[in-house]
């Protein structure tokens, strides 16, 4: 897998949110032209994208904001975790409480609560900008 793409309305907020999860901006650029129209099946596409990578360099996100045509919301921003489609991206973290506190500074909220799975993990879902759900996993021991 090369990367996961996420369409957002507020690119700066999404970059800040994923930055708190340790991701780093690899590149930012405007994208437009006939070639992108052909790839995505839309006309007159004009977007800004930010490629972000995990610190280990193995994972990447492409955050995209559409200027034209306008983005369309396919579901409510607060869609529940059992909504069909890609629901979350999971991040391994060292201190789940500390990461949740940092994400709250960017407007994120817990979807449920932090829960422990046996003596192996502490886990939670956090809803961030654009209703994006990220899962956090802190390995115990």
């Amino acid at each position: 897998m090369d990367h996961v793409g996420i369409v957002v309305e507020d690119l700066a907020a999404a970059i800040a949110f994923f930055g708190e999860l340790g991701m780093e901006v690899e590149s930012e650029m405007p994208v437009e032209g006939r070639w992108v129209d052909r790839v995505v099946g839309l006309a007159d596409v004009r977007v800004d994208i930010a490629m972000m990578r995990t610190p280990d360099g193995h994972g990447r996100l492409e955050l995209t904001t559409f200027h034209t045509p306008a983005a369309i919301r396919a579901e409510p921003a607060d869609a529940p975790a059992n909504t069909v489609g890609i629901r979350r991206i999971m991040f391994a973290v060292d201190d789940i409480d500390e990461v949740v506190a940092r994400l709250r500074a960017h407007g994120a909220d817990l979807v449920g609560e932090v829960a422990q799975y046996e003596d192996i993990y502490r886990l939670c879902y956090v809803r961030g900008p654009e209703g994006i759900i990220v899962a956090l996993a802190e390995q115990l021991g």
Side-chain angles (χ1 to χ4, degrees):
M1 183 172 77
D2 183 72
H3 69 271
V4 173
I6 301 174
V7 175
V8 300
E9 291 179 355
D10 187 338
L11 188 59
I15 289 169
F17 178 81
F18 285 106
E20 287 295 344
L21 290 165
M23 299 198 76
E24 300 169 357
V25 175
E26 188 175 80
S27 63
E28 290 185 69
M29 68 189 79
V31 177
E32 62 185 301
R34 177 74 181 125
W35 71 270
V36 75
D37 294 356
R38 292 173 57 204
V39 170
V40 302
L42 297 169
D44 301 319
V45 172
R46 191 172 58 82
V47 300
D48 286 324
I49 66 168
M51 292 300 293
M52 298 191 75
R53 65 174 153 44
T54 56
D56 65 7
H58 295 291
R60 295 189 319 157
L61 288 178
E62 177 185 304
L63 302 173
T64 304
T65 187
F66 275 79
H67 300 291
T68 60
I72 298 169
R73 186 166 299 281
E75 57 195 35
D78 62 349
N82 64 340
T83 301
V84 174
I86 297 174
R87 296 300 343 132
R88 69 190 173 285
I89 301 168
M90 177 157 298
F91 290 86
V93 299
D94 292 329
D95 182 340
I96 203 166
D97 298 315
E98 186 261 335
V99 172
V100 168
R102 288 194 339 249
L103 293 176
R104 281 190 166 142
H106 293 274
D109 287 311
L110 284 171
V111 172
E113 58 188 69
V114 177
Q116 187 164 323
Y117 172 71
E118 299 183 353
D119 292 330
I120 303 170
Y121 287 104
R122 292 182 72 218
L123 305 156
C124 71
Y125 283 7
V126 177
R127 187 179 309 276
E130 318 291 338
I132 297 166
I133 296 176
V134 296
L136 304 176
E138 174 186 344
Q139 190 167 5
L140 302 173

